[in-house]
C-alpha cells in the first residue's frame, strides 16, 4: 500500500473549502507576494466597482492606510458629503422659478390645520378654543333611562345621582308598605341608573 494514496484521503478527510478557493484564486497583487489573492480591496475614488486581489495579510495592511478622500481639499470633501445627502442628484432652491406658484401651508377645506381644529373636541376648553363645548347626544337607550328618571339629555352626573337617590327613597318597598306599583317603578329606576352608569354619564 502506498503511504499517501489519492483516494484514501478523499474518503477519510473532509476536503478543505478554503484550499479549493486558494487553488483557484489569482496571485496576490502586492509587490513580491506569491500567496493566493483571496480577499478584495477597493481601488479607490473614481474607480468604484473595481477591486485589488490581496492575500489576508496584505489586505489588512492595505485597509489600514486606505483613505477614499486622499488628495482632495477639505472643501471638496464637504461638497461630496453635502451631495451624498440627496444621493448625488441635482436639487433646486424653492421659489427659484418665478412662474411657479407655491402651495398653501395647509388645505383649508379638505384636511390640514383648519379641518383638524374644526373636528377636534375640546369639552373642557383645554386648548383655548372658542365657543361652548358640544353637548353629547344621548343614545336611544340612554335617552329612555333619562326619561325614566325624569331628566333631560343636559343633565350632569351629579343631577343623575341626586335624582336616583330621591327616587329610590320614594319608591323603595319598605317606604310604601309593599305596594306592587311602587315596586315596579323601583325596578325601572334601578335599571335606568345601571344603564346610565355603564354609559359613563354618572
Amino acid at each position: 500500500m502506498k503511504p499517501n494514496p489519492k483516494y484514501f484521503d478523499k474518503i477519510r478527510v473532509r476536503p478543505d473549502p478554503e484550499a479549493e478557493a486558494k487553488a483557484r484564486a489569482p496571485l496576490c497583487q502586492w509587490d513580491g507576494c506569491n500567496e493566493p489573492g483571496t480577499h478584495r480591496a477597493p481601488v479607490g475614488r473614481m474607480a468604484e466597482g473595481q477591486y485589488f486581489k490581496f492575500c489576508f495579510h496584505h489586505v489588512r495592511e492595505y485597509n489600514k492606510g486606505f483613505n477614499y478622500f486622499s488628495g482632495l481639499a477639505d472643501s471638496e470633501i464637504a461638497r461630496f458629503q453635502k451631495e451624498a445627502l440627496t444621493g448625488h442628484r441635482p436639487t433646486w432652491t424653492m421659489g427659484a422659478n418665478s412662474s411657479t406658484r407655491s402651495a398653501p401651508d395647509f388645505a383649508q377645506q379638505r384636511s390640514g390645520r383648519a379641518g383638524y381644529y374644526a373636528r377636534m373636541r375640546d369639552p373642557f376648553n383645554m386648548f383655548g378654543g372658542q365657543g361652548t363645548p358640544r353637548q353629547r347626544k344621548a343614545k336611544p337607550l340612554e335617552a329612555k333611562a333619562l326619561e325614566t328618571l325624569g331628566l333631560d339629555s343636559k343633565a350632569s352626573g351629579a343631577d343623575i345621582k341626586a335624582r336616583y337617590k330621591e327616587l329610590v327613597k320614594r319608591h323603595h318597598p319598605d317606604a310604601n308598605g309593599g305596594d306592587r306599583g311602587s315596586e315596579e317603578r323601583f325596578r325601572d329606576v334601578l335599571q335606568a341608573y345601571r344603564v346610565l352608569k355603564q354609559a359613563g354619564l354618572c
Side-chain angles (χ1 to χ4, degrees), residues 34-46:
N34 294 326
E35 294 288 320
T38 54
H39 299 280
R40 296 189 319 171
V43 172
R45 190 170 43 84
M46 307 303 286

Side-chain angles (χ1 to χ4, degrees), residues 112-183:
R113 192 173 288 151
Y116 173 74
Y117 285 121
R119 290 189 304 271
M120 187 175 75
R121 291 182 64 224
D122 187 13
F124 301 108
N125 201 18
M126 290 177 65
F127 302 106
Q130 302 295 328
T132 58
R134 289 184 189 173
Q135 295 295 326
R136 183 179 182 272
K137 187 177 178 184
K139 295 177 182 172
L141 200 58
E142 296 165 6
K144 187 177 179 185
L146 286 167
E147 186 182 331
T148 303
L149 296 179
L151 298 169
D152 59 356
S153 60
K154 295 178 182 177
S156 66
D159 294 338
I160 293 170
K161 285 181 183 178
R163 184 70 173 156
Y164 167 71
K165 287 179 183 178
E166 178 190 335
L167 291 174
V168 164
K169 286 178 185 176
R170 186 187 308 165
H171 297 292
H172 196 277
D174 292 342
N176 292 304
D179 184 15
R180 287 289 182 191
S182 183
E183 190 176 328

Side-chain angles (χ1 to χ4, degrees), residues 26-176:
L27 285 179
C28 177
Q29 290 181 309
W30 197 272
D31 289 338
C33 182
N34 294 326
E35 294 288 320
T38 54
H39 299 280
R40 296 189 319 171
V43 172
R45 190 170 43 84
M46 307 303 286
E48 283 81 5
Q50 298 176 20
Y51 299 95
F52 291 121
K53 292 285 194 168
F54 292 130
C55 63
F56 179 70
H57 299 295
H58 289 133
V59 81
R60 287 177 65 186
E61 217 36 59
Y62 180 81
N63 285 340
K64 281 181 187 175
F66 180 74
N67 182 5
Y68 183 80
F69 297 108
S70 65
L72 280 182
D74 290 342
S75 60
E76 289 291 316
I77 295 171
R79 187 176 64 82
F80 180 88
Q81 290 173 337
K82 184 178 178 184
E83 289 174 359
L85 293 173
T86 59
H88 301 285
R89 293 186 178 94
T91 58
W92 294 270
T93 309
M94 291 290 291
N97 188 352
S98 61
S99 64
T100 59
R101 188 169 52 87
S102 62
D105 187 19
F106 284 96
Q108 299 299 315
Q109 296 298 323
R110 295 186 305 278
S111 62
R113 192 173 288 151
Y116 173 74
Y117 285 121
R119 290 189 304 271
M120 187 175 75
R121 291 182 64 224
D122 187 13
F124 301 108
N125 201 18
M126 290 177 65
F127 302 106
Q130 302 295 328
T132 58
R134 289 184 189 173
Q135 295 295 326
R136 183 179 182 272
K137 187 177 178 184
K139 295 177 182 172
L141 200 58
E142 296 165 6
K144 187 177 179 185
L146 286 167
E147 186 182 331
T148 303
L149 296 179
L151 298 169
D152 59 356
S153 60
K154 295 178 182 177
S156 66
D159 294 338
I160 293 170
K161 285 181 183 178
R163 184 70 173 156
Y164 167 71
K165 287 179 183 178
E166 178 190 335
L167 291 174
V168 164
K169 286 178 185 176
R170 186 187 308 165
H171 297 292
H172 196 277
D174 292 342
N176 292 304

